[in-house]
Amino acid sequence: MSTTNQSPLPFKLQLLELTSTLSNLAKRLLDILLVQGVRILGQKILNRLNRVNFNRMFRHRLYQQADKPVLRAKVLADASLGKGPLISLIVPLYNTDLTHLNEMIESVLHQNYPRWQLCLADGSDAAHDDVGKTVALFLAQDDRISYIKLATNQGISGNTNAAMQLAHGDFFGLLDHDDLLAPDALAEMALVIHRQQADFIYSDELNFTENLDHVRLIHFKPDFALDNLRSNNYICHLSVFARDLVDRVGAFDPQCDGSQDYDYILRLTEKARHIVHIPKVLYYWRIHGKSVASDISVKPYCLDAARLALSNHFARCGVQATVENNTILSTYRIRYPVSQNQLTHVLITVEDRNQLARLLYVVKQDAGAPVVYCLIVPENVLASAKRRDSWQQNMLKGNASCRFVYYHREESLAAVLNREIRAVESTYVALLDGAIVTVSPQWLLELLMFVQRPDIAMATGKVTYRHIVQQAGLATGVHGSIGAYHAKRVDGEPGYMARLQMVNNISLADRLAMVFARQRFIEMGGFNEAYHRDFFDLDLGLQWHKAGLPSVFTPYATFAIDDPRDLPVEVLNHGLSFTSADRKLLKSMWDDVMKQPDLYYNPNFNPNHARFDHR
């Protein structure tokens, strides 16, 4: 057959592939339009257009930092660093692809930090003896490489333990046999160890296919967040940790093979004295057909191993909890038992009678825990005794444990709430805003799971308006103020790294929907009564944040509002003039804290919003 007859074929195949892609895209768009409507379709398209191109971002930053190795060499030459810690990289080998093996070893040889040891334990079968032969070529070049050929494959944990036996470093780092290190990976780790005396350090990472011209995803991580870690192994790579920690926690557990790194990170962080996150991409995780990075369903036993690792973690910590698979694979839902003998007072601040009418639904909903509702209402909203009695009877029909408290608008709302909270005998307090029109079943139970813990300040849920997420907790450092996580996402979307579908640590919450322990509130001194009507809730949250107490967002408690302009962050950043005195007070007391980069966001993201992977 002539070449003239063959040449159109690749073009036809490309055209068919393009036609199929466009057809599938059109079907998806039509499905969204028919089921969710034009407004949601428009928001999804806008979000997609605003999403960060990780491949372009990585290339741009790589080129921007082309002179960085020279700079790093100068820093490392500083006499204050001395010899620096010896970092032993632990790599179990098993039937490793030779191209991947060569690239992995080369990435270590090209490190800008010289004090490393590469520990390789090879469990490959006889058909893959070329793995050992390839390593032998490198052994002849560099005596910092240590290698052992195992008599039998001992599994991922056993092979890793064998590699660890070769290590004589001050710190250990975990590296998979088909992944790569960024040139400055160990230099950055050594600097943090030296300057901050950290004993557990982790970095950001990326996923790539084929080569680094094909970056699929960059995982920009939060600083250490225990509840994030209990939901998903977000720490993963690159992790470096002190020998002292290894001596204390012991070897890898073969029972957790498949999620052995998750198990080990949980054990290490339980014992670590000082955990530091380096917000730089120092690890390159290769995606291929047999990797978990490609698809967790490639290795479904990993999910069982992860649940076992988490169950063991809770047992060691003395915490009662059940571990379940979440809706997103490789994320987990933790349920903590909540006593049904402890009462929660739910205080709902109301602005007008329209809000009162909608709250009938809220008080009827099953909160999942013993509750007393208290509606905080300005006197002029229900001026006559007859109206007050009528509304009281209506609310009692919805919930027998419901009462009204009236106050003058001239009075400080913070003072009114303080008075009520101090007078009641409940264990917990929830604040809701009258702008809320619906709540999810058992919303309170989902929030109490976290505030019953002594290490958590407040808990909040997901707030939506007409099926668009308005906030999922609050962050500092957003355009120099406080901002909302995940704003403008379509409800039901997983969000960046599935963070809208799992429990996260957050910096603070607001009175739109927040729950806290009453005794902790009293010990903190309650709300600052210098505020008249706004921002006393943010003030309290910032106090707890400054004291080092994290808060929690859970997607399993959801709230819908009738007007996004009622969001406290909207009032703070775009509010009306009558809030100016409260705004000035908040800024005078907390401006420096509000401007600080958020612990649970990441400095690589756009600081003008908290939407993660949006430009």
Side-chain angles (χ1 to χ4, degrees), residues 211-263:
N211 56 54
L212 289 174
D213 289 328
H214 299 85
V215 173
R216 287 267 299 270
L217 174 72
I218 301 179
H219 187 183
F220 292 123
K221 305 170 187 178
D223 285 355
F224 183 68
L226 179 59
D227 289 285
N228 294 53
L229 184 58
R230 287 173 171 177
S231 298
N232 166 257
N233 181 17
Y234 81 91
I235 288 179
C236 208
H237 309 114
L238 173 65
S239 302
V240 170
F241 39 89
R243 173 178 285 276
D244 172 66
L245 283 179
V246 174
D247 293 340
R248 291 162 64 192
V249 305
F252 277 74
D253 183 356
Q255 292 187 52
C256 292
D257 273 5
S259 289
Q260 72 289 333
D261 53 347
Y262 194 5
D263 173 69

Side-chain angles (χ1 to χ4, degrees), residues 17-34:
E17 185 177 339
L18 176 62
T19 302
S20 175
T21 300
L22 291 175
S23 175
N24 290 335
L25 176 61
K27 185 178 182 302
R28 285 185 60 197
L29 293 175
L30 183 61
D31 288 344
I32 295 170
L33 179 64
L34 294 176

Side-chain angles (χ1 to χ4, degrees), residues 33 45 56 96 153 163 203 226 285 392 438 463 469 478 485 515:
L33 179 64
I45 292 173
R56 188 180 302 132
T96 309
N153 175 34
S203 73
L226 179 59
W285 190 355
Q392 179 76 44
T438 63
V463 178
V469 175
V478 179
Y485 293 110
V515 179

Side-chain angles (χ1 to χ4, degrees), residues 24 118 126 179 237 275 283 331 347 385 395 410 556 566 609:
N24 290 335
L118 180 59
D179 295 341
H237 309 114
I275 301 171
Y283 193 96
T331 68
L347 308 180
M395 288 294 177
E410 293 77 17
Y556 311 116
D566 291 324
H609 59 67

Side-chain angles (χ1 to χ4, degrees), residues 6 25 51 56 79 177 183 221 256 277 319 391 421 451 479 490-491 534 537 585 602:
Q6 290 181 358
L25 176 61
R51 191 176 299 173
R56 188 180 302 132
H177 65 166
K221 305 170 187 178
C256 292
H277 163 226
V319 174
W391 276 103
I421 293 171
V451 296
H479 215 292
V490 174
D491 191 20
D534 289 307
D537 50 338
L585 177 59
N602 188 293

